[in-house]
Amino acid sequence: ATDHPDLNRRGAQYVGRDFILDAAIVGGRGRMRVDDSTWQVEGPDLAIGTKVKVVSLAGAVLVLEVSSED
């Protein structure tokens, strides 16, 4: 047991968080700036500025859906 379960799984810390897309998702894939890094993302085709939620991690890819929070 550890008090840092996501230490070597950096992307896991983003699951459940909301972000604003800074690049469109086209064909189900895109990139998104998160803190000081750029991550590959998957999800429905969405426009720049859409509020999204990270729902899971697929390897090193963040899986997104449209955020339902206002």
Side-chain angles (χ1 to χ4, degrees), residues 29-52:
R29 293 191 164 263
R31 297 184 75 73
M32 180 175 72
R33 185 114 178 121
V34 177
D35 298 332
D36 62 349
S37 300
T38 300
W39 287 80
Q40 290 185 1
V41 296
E42 291 181 350
D45 289 359
L46 299 169
I48 293 170
T50 303
K51 188 173 182 180
V52 294

Side-chain angles (χ1 to χ4, degrees), residues 45-70:
D45 289 359
L46 299 169
I48 293 170
T50 303
K51 188 173 182 180
V52 294
K53 178 176 283 216
V54 178
V55 293
S56 66
L57 189 63
V61 178
L62 300 177
V63 180
L64 308 177
E65 67 180 25
V66 175
S67 176
S68 60
E69 295 183 18
D70 293 325

Side-chain angles (χ1 to χ4, degrees), residues 5-45:
D6 296 330
L7 182 63
N8 291 319
R9 296 184 54 221
R10 188 168 163 213
Q13 68 182 319
Y14 300 124
V15 174
R17 287 184 53 192
D18 292 320
F19 297 95
I20 303 295
L21 281 179
D22 58 347
I25 297 177
V26 178
R29 293 191 164 263
R31 297 184 75 73
M32 180 175 72
R33 185 114 178 121
V34 177
D35 298 332
D36 62 349
S37 300
T38 300
W39 287 80
Q40 290 185 1
V41 296
E42 291 181 350
D45 289 359

